[in-house]
Amino acid sequence: LIDAYAKVKHVDLKRIVDVLELMKARGLKLDVVTYSCVMNACAKLGNVDAAGKWLQEMEKMGMEPNVVNFCTLIDACAKAERTDVNQVSKILELMKTRGLKPNEVTMKLAFSVCRSEKDRVLLRRYSQSRQANATNAKYDKDAL
């Protein structure tokens, strides 16, 4: 149900949170997929703060975020008006601290946040420091 609400044209985040709270109240076990759906709704709205909040909530509940969760957080950044590449770099570093490696989708989303050449240079440096040039270069807008 949460996933269905997240996929409609005009996402109603309050309704999604209400459903999540109802599920909790009824004793239903929430899992990574449930939280991913909520994060996806936040991403669709470009609400980075809310997506991050749900990632933290998931961790508080003892669940380990996966690459998809972090991709969703980066997707929220890409859709937000005020995001800068430094925020995405922090997310990529957070992934690293959790033992997760960015994949091609992760880096494609990360490069989609770049709004200037300066952003692309910063992200390229990150890519190079992670020894992922071959994979990431094809998603760099300059390389396309």
Side-chain angles (χ1 to χ4, degrees):
L1 187 57
I2 291 173
D3 188 44
Y5 282 137
K7 290 181 179 174
V8 297
K9 186 174 183 178
H10 300 286
V11 174
D12 183 349
L13 190 55
K14 184 188 177 323
R15 180 175 263 178
I16 291 169
V17 172
D18 288 346
V19 170
L20 183 79
E21 294 301 327
L22 181 63
M23 290 171 69
K24 282 183 188 177
R26 292 197 175 165
L28 296 173
K29 186 174 179 185
L30 306 179
D31 59 13
V32 173
V33 174
T34 307
Y35 283 96
S36 293
C37 292
V38 176
M39 288 178 66
N40 189 48
C42 297
K44 191 171 181 180
L45 295 169
N47 192 333
V48 181
D49 295 335
K53 174 189 166 261
W54 289 108
L55 183 79
Q56 290 173 344
E57 176 73 19
M58 183 172 60
E59 290 178 307
K60 279 197 305 191
M61 300 301 290
M63 294 173 231
E64 292 290 324
N66 58 37
V67 173
V68 172
N69 300 125
F70 285 100
C71 282
T72 303
L73 192 54
I74 294 170
D75 188 37
C77 291
K79 292 176 180 160
E81 293 179 15
R82 60 175 167 70
T83 302
D84 65 47
V85 75
N86 291 319
Q87 190 171 14
V88 172
S89 294
K90 289 176 185 176
I91 294 167
L92 294 170
E93 284 299 321
L94 187 60
M95 286 180 72
K96 180 184 170 201
T97 65
R98 302 281 194 321
L100 298 171
K101 293 181 181 178
N103 59 25
E104 290 184 27
V105 173
T106 311
M107 295 313 298
K108 181 177 181 179
L109 288 166
F111 275 110
S112 75
V113 173
C114 296
R115 309 245 195 279
S116 68
E117 178 58 28
K118 180 181 172 187
D119 288 348
R120 287 186 284 278
V121 168
L122 285 170
L123 204 51
R124 273 192 226 112
R125 278 194 203 132
Y126 175 86
S127 299
Q128 291 166 352
S129 72
R130 299 290 158 245
Q131 300 174 346
N133 297 345
T135 300
N136 300 336
K138 66 181 168 183
Y139 295 111
D140 184 341
K141 293 176 183 174
D142 289 343
L144 295 176

